[in-house]
Structures are given as C-alpha cells and as structure tokens.
Amino acid sequence: MTDQAEKIERIAVYPGSFDPVTLGHMDIIHRAAKQYDRLIVAVLNNLSKKPLFTVEERAELLRQATSDMPNVEVDVFRDLLVNYVEQKQAQVVVRGIRSVTDFEYELQIATTNRKLNENVETIFMMTNPLYSYLSSSVVKEIAQFAGDVSELVTPEVRIALQEKLHGKPVE
C-alpha cells in the first residue's frame, strides 16, 4: 500500500452550545482547524441552559463565521457526544479551557466520555489569554443592556444579538 492509501483522515469534533459563538470560540476553531483534516463544530442543545438563539440560528451564525475555512463544517446534534463522535468517525473531541474551573468541569466530562467509549479522546486547548474572561453568558448580558459587544463577537453575531434582544437592526 502507498502512504496515501494508509492515511486516515484526522477528524475532530468541537462541541458546544455556542449561544452565541464568541471570538473565544472562533480562536479555538481557527487553531483546531489547523491541527485536523476536518473539524466538525457541533452545536448541541444543552438542556441545563435556556438558550437565546435556536439551535438552527446558532448553527447558521457559525456557518457564517467559518465560511472561509474549507475544512470546517457545522452540524447540529441531539445525542450523547460519544455516539455523535463515533457516527462522524472522528478520533478527537476538542475543548477550550479558560480557567482551572473550566478544567475541572471538562475533565469530569472527558472522563465520563472515555468511560462510555474508550476510543473517544479529548484534547484540551488553552484559550488565548485575550479571551480568558469571555463567555457566551457575558456577551448576552452585555448585549441585553445594549452594551458594545463588537470586540467580543463577529459582526454577524452582533447584529443577530441586537435584533433578537431589541427587535431592531443595528444602527
């Protein structure tokens, strides 16, 4: 066999609620996309959170934000992550870490996923320090009070937040 025939496509899944996608998420997406042949950004419906945007709206905002990245695809899932990863024939789950608190939570999830399916590996990527404070919740709170989120999200997300929260287009 040739080396080309033996090469397995390296596929990673970056799951999250992305409500909305922030520049911190985009930083992880850009960096992870460089590491894998294909990166699937998988939007989930987190039952423990009350989302502002529908799953479909979040996926569309991510598609707009990643449209210039040919090896990134956006998908929606409503299953156990390990089942989704196996279905997509991915080898890795990518998770961003902002703090020690994030690490403790993500370690618990990664360990559980490994228990459910020993073939699912989780890779942690440290968030760029510029975004270490940034979360979707912070963005939504600022936007709720008409604060400037232009340095926290893409222009499309800023417009979508304005329309969703205040019912009018951005001026």
Side-chain angles (χ1 to χ4, degrees):
M1 275 191 191
T2 66
D3 286 339
Q4 197 70 318
E6 293 177 13
K7 186 176 183 219
I8 296 172
E9 185 179 32
R10 296 173 311 137
I11 304 169
V13 173
Y14 178 33
S17 51
F18 304 106
D19 185 41
V21 60
T22 68
L23 293 183
H25 293 128
M26 290 305 301
D27 175 60
I28 297 294
I29 291 169
H30 281 282
R31 291 169 41 216
K34 292 178 187 175
Q35 303 300 316
Y36 298 96
D37 299 318
R38 189 160 52 119
L39 176 66
I40 302 168
V41 181
V43 182
L44 66 100
N45 218 357
N46 188 334
L47 301 175
S48 66
K49 295 181 180 179
K50 185 178 182 219
L52 177 62
F53 292 99
T54 67
V55 173
E56 292 75 19
E57 288 170 331
R58 290 179 265 156
E60 182 54 33
L61 288 169
L62 275 159
R63 284 186 191 99
Q64 291 172 15
T66 60
S67 64
D68 64 336
M69 305 170 72
N71 69 325
V72 174
E73 70 180 69
V74 176
D75 196 14
V76 171
F77 79 103
R78 292 175 173 87
D79 194 359
L80 281 176
L81 178 59
V82 292
N83 295 343
Y84 180 80
V85 169
E86 190 169 50
Q87 173 198 351
K88 293 296 182 176
Q89 298 179 317
Q91 299 85 20
V92 172
V93 172
V94 172
R95 297 298 295 158
I97 302 289
R98 295 171 295 188
S99 65
V100 173
T101 306
D102 278 356
F103 178 74
E104 289 175 352
Y105 172 77
E106 294 295 345
L107 179 62
Q108 180 182 14
I109 299 301
T111 304
T112 302
N113 286 339
R114 183 89 174 155
K115 181 74 174 166
L116 293 171
N117 184 335
E118 66 183 19
N119 295 318
V120 175
E121 293 290 345
T122 300
I123 302 295
F124 297 127
M125 295 186 84
M126 298 308 298
T127 300
N128 181 320
L130 289 171
Y131 307 116
S132 62
Y133 66 93
L134 187 54
S135 70
S136 295
S137 299
V138 165
V139 167
K140 287 185 285 193
E141 187 167 345
I142 293 168
Q144 179 69 45
F145 294 101
D148 182 9
V149 295
S150 60
E151 293 185 17
L152 309 177
V153 297
T154 64
E156 298 84 5
V157 171
R158 183 177 61 79
I159 291 166
L161 281 164
Q162 178 71 24
E163 290 176 351
K164 180 71 82 169
L165 293 170
H166 303 289
K168 58 185 179 186
V170 176
E171 299 167 8

